[in-house]
Amino acid sequence: MWITGLALLVDTVGREGIGQATSLADIGVTTGTVLAPTLGGLLYENAGYYSVFAISFAILAVDVFLRLVLIEKKAANAWLLAESSRREYGTIKSNSPDDGHRSNGFSSAVQKGGQSNDEGQDPLIDPGSDPEARLRSWDWIVPKTPTTLKVLKSSRIQAALYGLLVQSVVLCSLEAVLPIFLNETFGWRAQGGGLTLLAIAIPSVFAPVVGYLSDRYSPRWITGSLFMIAVPALVLLRFVQKPSMGDISLLLVSLVVLGFTVNCVMSPLIVDLTNAVEDFEQDHPEMFQKAGPYARVYGMMVFSFAAGTMLGPTLGAYIHRHADWPALALFLGLLSASEGLVALLFTDGFILSKRDKGKREAGGVVARV
């Protein structure tokens, strides 16, 4: 559902508004990822086993209903084009002085199409479908590299996918380990842990602002800055070790800063991923033909985020169990720093590449216009 939703979002808002649009979707993704386990635990504790599934089925029913009533942009454009054609061509008189009848748009379009077909080649015949020409080439014998692997060779796409993986690992490892740490250190139970996780979820309201900035300016500095800001917030968590007011204040402030960075970083990552896919398609138009690359690349994006949701709790629980809380905070800080460095180097193209610099300058002029 996420893959088709993002592909539909790009098709609807276009390249210029993808950051602000995805930021609204990111609020639901990150907030649901953080709060779902806590809310599920509270429902299970107070309302029983079946209440958890009742809420899930209700949310799925709303999602299915919205998808059924959704009108895609292609269908809407077809209706608008048909309506404008009826208004434009329905009552136009013929240009011929001898013909007093009225002509419609369909007949004129057919006549134009017939003229263009007479002048050139029949568009229904594919020039590349000649079997003799195919036998003369060796493409049918030599195995071709899958398109997905060719797309993955782009360092820009690799950087965006790695950023999504790091974001998911940081978010999900804290989601799994933080309630246990709070119970062991402060004696807080489900409600206390859930209210603490709100400190991560609430700053997601600033995601649309970051998405707007990502549409207007280069996502390189936004992505790199957010990951670098998360480093001190994560490292400071290792100093929370006793139930004192100072440690609780340090915990909450660090979680708020971390929530802002983790929740807002997905928008510039998706913006750069979308721009990278468009640039890759323009440089290699023969790879995709009729089918665009968006669904394929967004599938990789979902896979990266899903891999983080699997690795995050596993790594977090393992490090917390064998090396304790300070080691986990330090590990997550170093992981965020690695992605910050990768983002500064490869987001929006390699920073030292003259070719990518020319594309960035051209794209920046178009964005600001």
Side-chain angles (χ1 to χ4, degrees), residues 39-59:
L39 294 176
L42 292 175
L43 285 172
Y44 177 77
E45 185 177 350
N46 296 284
Y49 177 78
Y50 294 102
S51 62
V52 180
F53 293 94
I55 295 294
S56 302
F57 289 143
I59 295 174

Side-chain angles (χ1 to χ4, degrees), residues 54-66:
I55 295 294
S56 302
F57 289 143
I59 295 174
L60 286 175
V62 173
D63 180 77
V64 170
F65 172 76
L66 293 177

Side-chain angles (χ1 to χ4, degrees), residues 13 34 48 57 65 90 93-94 115 145 173 209 211 214 242 262 319 343 355:
V13 302
V34 172
F57 289 143
F65 172 76
K93 294 183 179 181
S94 173
Q115 294 174 0
T145 304
S173 60
V209 179
S214 301
K242 56 185 179 180
V262 173
I319 296 174
R355 179 174 179 270

Side-chain angles (χ1 to χ4, degrees), residues 82 87 102 228 282 300 305 328 355 357 366:
R87 293 179 180 178
R102 299 177 184 270
M228 288 301 184
Q282 291 176 1
M300 303 178 199
F305 192 87
L328 174 61
R355 179 174 179 270
K357 183 179 179 180
V366 173

Side-chain angles (χ1 to χ4, degrees), residues 177-190 192-193 196 243 320:
V177 178
L178 188 60
I180 301 174
F181 171 74
L182 295 177
N183 181 263
E184 294 175 350
T185 306
F186 304 118
W188 295 351
R189 306 188 70 176
T196 305
H320 180 254

